[in-house]
Amino acid sequence: MKTVEKDSPSLIERLEKIHPHLMLMYIGVIGSSLIFFFLSLLFISTALQQQVAIPLPKSFVFSTAVLLMSSYFAHQYLQHFKHDRPKELSHAANGLLLTGIIFTVSQIAGWMELSNSGVHLAGKATGAYLYLLPGLHILHLIGGLIYTMVQALTAKKISKDAVQALIVLSSQYELVKARMLTVYWHFLDVVWVILFLSFLLLL
């Protein structure tokens, strides 16, 4: 007898299965990506026209390494959630929170380096973008930090209570929240790496 092959789900069907909160986050990420894209194009155009020699802050190099580490913790967070490991989940959330804070502090240190070298927000446009683009990125990152803090508190709570761990780790909505956290941090990482490479190549 011939077996009837089921048609693979269409793109629309796949989109319909995505949780509304996760879909809203995807839409927000796409919108933010477009903003960064057009601002980056303006920075590239301005940098090519002005040809201003600006020393890249060493803190930006350090912060890039830290943010890449945060991407690792974000990945581990989702994996620990899927495999019902509450203690490891708490450690990953704390690691993500810590690297996010260190990144923010190092970015501020980078701005101080720029200011000390004579590059100011009110100066030439090329230098101003070194404040504007990272500043916009930090605003997005602060939102991620607040959400991560909430998730870290939940992870800490369930790491000490087996009953709460069972309830949370078996919840599909909590899984959606874990996915949102991971996707958002990967988005932050990708955006910053692109910005950093643009600074590195054009300054």
Side-chain angles (χ1 to χ4, degrees):
M1 294 179 63
K2 293 182 178 180
T3 56
V4 179
E5 295 183 1
K6 293 183 179 180
D7 294 333
S8 58
S10 65
L11 177 60
I12 294 178
E13 290 174 336
R14 291 178 182 176
L15 291 175
E16 288 176 345
K17 292 181 179 179
I18 299 177
H19 191 279
H21 291 176
L22 189 57
M23 178 60 75
L24 284 174
M25 194 204 66
Y26 283 140
I27 293 173
V29 163
I30 292 171
S32 295
S33 298
L34 290 175
I35 293 173
F36 279 109
F37 175 73
F38 287 115
L39 285 176
S40 296
L41 287 182
L42 289 173
F43 163 71
I44 292 170
S45 175
T46 303
L48 291 175
Q49 290 177 8
Q50 293 187 344
Q51 295 291 321
V52 179
I54 299 175
L56 185 68
K58 294 179 181 178
S59 296
F60 280 7
V61 179
F62 173 73
S63 64
T64 302
V66 171
L67 199 61
L68 289 175
M69 191 180 299
S70 76
S71 192
Y72 165 78
F73 285 118
H75 174 75
Q76 289 297 106
Y77 181 86
L78 183 59
Q79 293 305 308
H80 292 320
F81 190 100
K82 288 181 177 179
H83 293 90
D84 301 332
R85 296 191 288 253
K87 289 185 179 180
E88 291 82 354
L89 183 73
S90 181
H91 293 157
N94 290 335
L96 186 56
L97 191 60
L98 179 61
T99 50
I101 293 172
I102 293 174
F103 174 84
T104 303
V105 172
S106 64
Q107 289 292 97
I108 295 173
W111 285 335
M112 293 176 66
E113 286 185 54
L114 287 172
S115 180
N116 292 335
S117 63
V119 180
H120 304 287
L121 179 61
K124 290 189 175 181
T126 301
Y129 277 114
L130 296 180
Y131 289 90
L132 176 62
L133 287 168
L136 183 60
H137 182 262
I138 285 181
L139 286 178
H140 284 75
L141 187 134
I142 289 173
L145 280 176
I146 294 172
Y147 186 64
T148 302
M149 190 177 299
V150 174
Q151 293 299 98
L153 291 174
T154 300
K156 182 180 180 180
K157 181 179 179 180
I158 67 173
S159 69
K160 299 179 180 180
D161 189 330
V163 176
Q164 285 294 321
L166 179 62
I167 294 172
V168 171
L169 296 177
S170 61
S171 169
Q172 286 300 309
Y173 180 60
E174 292 296 332
L175 176 59
V176 168
K177 290 166 66 175
R179 290 185 186 278
M180 290 172 62
L181 180 67
T182 302
V183 171
Y184 191 75
W185 273 98
H186 287 329
F187 157 71
L188 291 173
D189 291 347
V190 170
V191 167
W192 176 251
V193 168
I194 292 174
L195 291 178
F196 176 74
L197 290 176
S198 299
F199 299 157
L200 190 64
L201 293 173
L202 294 172
L203 297 181

